[in-house]
Amino acid sequence: MTGAQAPTVFAETPCIPASGLPSAFLQMAAMRGHDPLSLLAGTGLFAGDWVDPQRQMSPVQFERLLTNLVHAQHGEDMAFLVGARHAQMADAPLWSPVVWQGAGATWIALTGSQRGGDLPAWQSEAFAGMMRERLRPLLPAGTALQFYFRHAMPRYLEQYHAHLGENLTFSAPANLIRADAYVDLLTPPAVAFLCRLRALLDTSPPADLPLCAAHFGFSVATMKRRLKAQGTHFQQQLDEARRLQLLRAVTAFGDPATAPQPTGSAFSTDPSNRNREQRRLTGFTALQLRHLLIGYAGERVEY
């Protein structure tokens, strides 16, 4: 579904029925003894809205609701439980999985669809829990799952073990899941503004700001305002797109320099410049990434 066929969803676009997923999470809070209406603080919703079939929330309102839910409960397992519940429903307004095959595995990048920058730790936990539930019926029994998180190891590591297992890597270059099997995981068409922008930036040659603005029917100034409203800017989104290009190249080909077009086209052919760019985007060189993500025996790596 292209941008011309479906309306683009922005952070402030009303698109989530308040009586659906938000209502389910408010009921979850009530079952834990919490006043569900207090969780509506800052969302712009009132007591009767979450049972009104005509009322819709925007992604940014829904994000605030989930933030209130996770933090008000003071439960270190709450984000994981939110994710598991979320997996049973079709609506995923905050997170967008990017799926590819490489190194004998299926890779899933856990990216935000409405906000710029890294996902907060609790959103990464919820997204990982959601994807684990979605993968469960699709994978052969005993398939190993490896989870990578950009944030540092938390103090409540036992909750990660309980909900995700013990194959965990923290302070990674991206939020990723590796499934050691082929998975035909269907993902919904991209409708979120940032998802469509990243797809455009993933083309070869990479699109620049004026071209991206024209694609959405914006002037450059309007494009900058739209990105600012989403909590991001063009260079940040370009870096996010290039980071995923790099990770796909490493997992599929071992080194971006050997990747075919368009995957390798965004990176310099000069080894020194390419390594500097890779380290800027991920904090690792290509060799270090190979060891971290897929492991290459017989190579010495210094971090």
Side-chain angles (χ1 to χ4, degrees):
M1 194 176 289
T2 66
Q5 294 173 320
T8 299
V9 172
F10 297 94
E12 69 277 11
T13 303
C15 61
I16 306 165
S19 59
L21 197 55
S23 177
F25 288 137
L26 289 170
Q27 291 174 25
M28 177 190 294
M31 287 189 292
R32 286 200 159 202
H34 201 285
D35 176 13
L37 298 184
S38 67
L39 302 178
L40 298 177
T43 66
L45 291 183
F46 299 97
D49 290 335
W50 62 290
V51 294
D52 181 356
Q54 304 301 317
R55 188 70 163 87
Q56 291 191 322
M57 301 178 72
S58 68
V60 71
Q61 289 175 310
F62 184 56
E63 181 181 38
R64 179 58 185 268
L65 172 64
L66 287 184
T67 302
N68 291 346
L69 174 62
V70 169
H71 291 285
Q73 292 297 300
H74 303 295
E76 294 169 343
D77 64 338
M78 180 53 66
F80 297 105
L81 295 176
V82 165
R85 185 67 170 268
H86 203 291
Q88 301 169 12
M89 305 182 187
D91 196 0
L94 302 182
W95 310 302
S96 177
V98 179
V99 183
W100 72 90
Q101 309 295 324
T106 298
W107 294 85
I108 305 166
L110 312 179
T111 65
S113 64
Q114 297 297 337
R115 289 290 176 184
D118 293 341
L119 292 175
W122 74 262
Q123 285 200 24
S124 302
E125 295 164 359
F127 197 173
M130 177 181 73
M131 293 309 303
R132 185 177 187 275
E133 291 300 314
R134 287 189 176 181
L135 288 169
R136 192 192 301 272
L138 302 176
L139 292 170
T143 301
L145 288 178
Q146 175 77 38
F147 294 87
Y148 300 84
F149 294 98
R150 293 194 73 171
H151 57 266
M153 181 186 296
R155 57 176 176 76
Y156 49 96
L157 186 61
E158 68 281 357
Q159 291 297 338
Y160 281 78
H161 291 162
H163 293 277
L164 302 178
E166 297 188 359
N167 295 326
L168 306 166
T169 299
F170 296 95
S171 300
N175 296 307
L176 298 167
I177 300 175
R178 171 180 169 159
D180 289 335
Y182 173 78
V183 183
D184 188 14
L185 182 66
L186 298 178
T187 56
V191 294
F193 172 52
L194 294 186
C195 291
R196 287 183 165 168
L197 174 59
R198 290 176 197 141
L200 195 59
L201 293 172
D202 197 31
T203 57
S204 179
D208 58 12
L209 177 58
L211 183 60
C212 290
H215 175 82
F216 287 99
F218 298 153
S219 67
V220 170
T222 299
M223 185 72 174
K224 289 180 178 179
R225 285 196 298 271
R226 278 294 187 181
L227 287 167
K228 185 176 181 180
Q230 301 272 158
T232 186
H233 51 81
F234 185 78
Q235 185 61 50
Q236 185 180 53
Q237 292 307 304
L238 179 60
D239 285 349
E240 286 295 319
R242 287 164 64 82
R243 183 177 296 113
L244 282 184
Q245 283 182 335
L246 174 59
L247 294 175
R248 291 201 307 268
V250 168
T251 55
F253 304 102
D255 191 324
T258 64
Q261 306 294 333
T263 307
S265 63
F267 300 98
S268 172
T269 56
D270 178 74
S272 297
N273 290 337
R274 185 173 64 247
N275 208 40
R276 279 195 295 270
E277 179 72 351
Q278 291 166 7
R279 188 178 282 276
R280 183 184 72 83
L281 291 172
T282 68
F284 299 87
T285 66
L287 179 59
Q288 291 169 343
L289 284 174
R290 288 205 302 270
H291 275 261
L292 182 71
L293 300 177
I294 57 181
Y296 270 30
E299 293 178 329
R300 181 179 176 182
V301 175
E302 295 182 358
Y303 289 88

